[in-house]
Amino acid sequence: MKSFALFKKDLHSELRTRYAINALVMFILVTISVILFSIGSEKISETLTGGLFWVVIFFSAMSGLSRAFVSEEERGTVLTLHLIASPNTIFSGKLLFNLILVFAMNIVIALLYSVLFDSFIIRNFSLFFLAFVLGNIGIAAASTIIAAIIAKTGSKGTLYPVLSFPILLPLILILLELTKFAIDGTVIGESLVELTVLVCYDVVILTASYLLFDFIWKD
Amino acid sequence: MIWKTVLFLLMLFVIIAGISFPIVENPTAWYQFPVIPGLEEKAKIIFFHVPTAWLTVVAFLVSTVYSIKYLKTKDLDDDARSIAAAQIGIMFCILATVTGSIWAKFNWGSYWNWDPRETSIFMLLLIYGAFFALRSAIEAEEKRAALSAVYSIIAFVTVPFFIFIMPRIMTGLHPGSANDTNAGPVVNFKMNGNMMLVFFTSLVAFTILFFWMWRLNYKSIIYKDKLTKNIL
């Protein structure tokens, strides 16, 4: 329950400044328009649009999600958080906030994308939806724990994509594969292996994050 | 001393046997290797390339084990052991990537094909790179040790996905891929007894080499640390 209160606090402070939301919206617009400019009037293949979709998501996530813990360090509220809640609660709160942010961001990206790109046709929607949901959970979890590490390094923002990319890459590769399947219209039964790997990734990264957050937070 | 002698003998055997033993159509003598269709003389890379890739993973494992130990004991010597293993790991990682890449040019036609196993070694290279980037960004010793330990553990739990799972479920050029007809562990592919012997000797020799280099490296890191602290 306390983590939910923490989430509400983050939401209120976000709605007051709208820093992350504004940055994210602008970033999504810029990335998509750059892709559209570079394509021009050319017709690109369906597989490539599927790949570019995750490129947009990855870079938007890199720009918006690093704030979770940095903002606490900047405002000097870390010690207060230490006093009122256990590390696990804090991590749950931040994770919840990042989850909502990732889902909102990716739904916007997906909608914009399907409107703007003619060749982005999902033939097996339920498979795409499953991959999308599981992928978002993975992205949120991995980026939250990396954000916690980054906040302790003296908020060196450039380090964030460097540290996140190797951790997120297995996830993105599997998501690319699944998006390709969804565009080709493969049935779910044939992509069970990839879905299992996705679920494993989510479980592993969540477990590791909860176990290790103590050590980052206590410094 | 005894280990160094053993290492010297094993390496000597691997280098002589791996390079000079001939590959012939129908092996009769004990020192001849059989021809593997599609590879011929180029099959010999397995004696040197696979052990370097193996060491990359072993070094990563050792580094993670000592990271976990550091988080438990908060002893900076454990951090030195972890970083020493990572330093050797990145060296072997580069070696494995470069040797594999040169070999791929001659056998598969281009330096880089994004075969799943190539992707996975590239990922390892990125993880090592990110690990050192993180370390160089933090000044305070204890904080640096704790954060890099956490990062290397997180990286280690996601590594199995691309080292062990992806090369097997995706189609690729390396033995053991999903479309490989030999279907089985990598080492069972068409090697005869003496090839296996040289291959496994090479694995053992490289592993000993790693532990020797690692010991020297962490000792030198610890001594260097002590020296700078005494002087300053």
Side-chain angles (χ1 to χ4, degrees):
Chain A
M1 224 48 246
K2 245 185 178 175
S3 54
F4 189 70
L6 200 72
F7 162 71
K8 261 169 64 184
K9 178 219 98 173
D10 272 345
L11 192 68
H12 280 306
S13 74
E14 178 55 45
L15 288 179
R16 200 183 302 147
T17 60
R18 296 199 194 81
Y19 175 82
I21 296 176
N22 283 341
L24 267 180
V25 170
M26 288 313 292
F27 201 91
I28 294 167
L29 283 179
V30 169
T31 328
I32 292 186
S33 53
V34 166
I35 292 177
L36 282 173
F37 286 143
S38 59
I39 292 170
S41 54
E42 222 152 307
K43 183 116 179 77
I44 56 169
S45 75
E46 292 177 357
T47 337
L48 189 58
T49 22
L52 286 173
F53 176 66
W54 289 105
V55 171
V56 175
I57 286 185
F58 175 75
F59 283 103
S60 313
M62 287 306 93
S63 75
L65 298 179
S66 62
R67 299 282 306 162
F69 290 94
V70 175
S71 58
E72 303 286 351
E73 298 273 344
E74 276 175 359
R75 283 178 297 202
T77 43
V78 181
L79 285 175
T80 326
L81 279 182
H82 267 293
L83 285 175
I84 59 164
S86 72
N88 276 353
T89 322
I90 291 164
F91 189 75
S92 308
K94 295 290 182 187
L95 181 64
L96 198 61
F97 182 72
N98 266 1
L99 263 178
I100 303 288
L101 204 59
V102 168
F103 268 95
M105 168 188 106
N106 289 1
I107 288 168
V108 171
I109 293 177
L111 288 178
L112 268 179
Y113 212 80
S114 46
V115 172
L116 294 171
F117 287 80
D118 294 334
S119 46
F120 189 62
I121 309 154
I122 301 294
R123 294 203 175 72
N124 184 348
F125 186 75
S126 48
L127 177 64
F128 178 75
F129 184 73
L130 261 179
F132 186 73
V133 170
L134 289 171
N136 285 352
I137 296 171
I139 290 175
S143 52
T144 310
I145 189 77
I146 302 292
I149 294 179
I150 288 300
K152 293 287 173 188
T153 62
S155 42
K156 294 199 167 59
T158 40
L159 213 55
Y160 190 64
V162 175
L163 294 188
S164 310
F165 186 58
I167 308 286
L168 282 178
L169 211 100
L171 180 72
I172 293 194
L173 285 178
I174 295 287
L175 286 173
L176 286 179
E177 196 79 1
L178 279 170
T179 314
K180 202 161 74 189
F181 287 164
I183 288 175
D184 291 342
T186 319
V187 289
I188 290 181
E190 278 174 41
S191 38
L192 274 182
V193 183
E194 277 80 4
L195 284 174
T196 321
V197 174
L198 212 54
V199 173
C200 289
Y201 181 92
D202 287 358
V203 172
V204 163
I205 200 87
L206 274 174
T207 319
S209 304
Y210 271 102
L211 285 175
L212 294 167
F213 183 67
D214 267 17
F215 295 104
I216 304 172
W217 189 241
K218 264 190 228 148
D219 271 343
Chain B
M1 193 60 217
I2 176 108
W3 280 110
K4 276 183 222 168
T5 322
V6 171
L7 176 63
F8 174 74
L9 291 175
L10 288 179
M11 273 297 183
L12 199 66
F13 171 70
V14 169
I15 290 169
I16 291 174
I19 293 175
S20 66
F21 282 11
I23 290 187
V24 293
E25 204 73 51
N26 294 306
T28 43
W30 61 272
Y31 55 81
Q32 287 167 333
F33 294 141
V35 171
I36 297 170
L39 296 178
E40 288 92 35
E41 284 286 334
K42 285 170 281 186
K44 283 178 174 177
I45 192 178
I46 197 168
F47 302 131
F48 304 101
H49 170 69
V50 176
T52 48
W54 155 253
L55 272 205
T56 318
V57 181
V58 170
F60 196 21
L61 175 72
V62 170
S63 172
T64 310
V65 167
Y66 278 92
S67 293
I68 296 171
K69 221 176 150 199
Y70 172 78
L71 288 181
K72 268 188 161 172
T73 60
K74 300 281 174 190
D75 178 2
L76 279 173
D77 282 1
D78 284 330
D79 180 55
R81 289 189 178 93
S82 162
I83 183 77
Q87 280 172 351
I88 295 172
I90 194 170
M91 191 182 85
F92 278 102
C93 193
I94 294 169
L95 274 179
T97 316
V98 171
T99 52
S101 181
I102 294 169
W103 187 84
K105 175 70 182 166
F106 291 98
N107 207 52
W108 297 332
S110 69
Y111 287 111
W112 203 260
N113 304 290
W114 290 115
D115 164 90
R117 233 169 258 275
E118 285 177 350
T119 314
S120 61
I121 198 88
F122 176 65
M123 288 296 85
L124 264 178
L125 210 53
L126 280 184
I127 286 182
Y128 277 125
F131 179 72
F132 288 113
L134 175 64
R135 285 191 73 92
S136 60
I138 312 167
E139 293 287 328
E141 234 172 13
E142 255 127 49
K143 201 189 240 182
R144 176 174 63 203
L147 290 184
S148 64
V150 168
Y151 185 73
S152 88
I153 296 167
I154 293 175
F156 189 78
V157 293
T158 49
V159 158
F161 285 100
F162 45 82
I163 300 269
F164 300 111
I165 301 175
M166 286 202 331
R168 284 178 176 75
I169 61 172
M170 285 177 166
T171 55
L173 299 159
H174 274 86
S177 307
N179 60 344
D180 189 17
T181 42
N182 301 312
V186 182
V187 286
N188 283 344
F189 88 115
K190 295 172 191 162
M191 290 203 287
N192 72 348
N194 53 18
M195 244 177 141
M196 295 263 250
L197 178 73
V198 179
F199 175 63
F200 282 112
T201 316
S202 175
L203 274 188
V204 172
F206 271 81
T207 312
I208 299 172
L209 179 72
F210 166 74
F211 280 101
W212 180 46
M213 288 173 77
W214 173 57
R215 233 174 83 92
L216 284 179
N217 198 9
Y218 79 66
K219 275 185 176 168
S220 84
I221 289 176
I222 291 171
Y223 286 143
K224 222 184 274 169
D225 200 41
K226 279 183 182 158
L227 276 176
T228 47
K229 273 178 190 161
N230 278 347
I231 291 165
L232 292 174

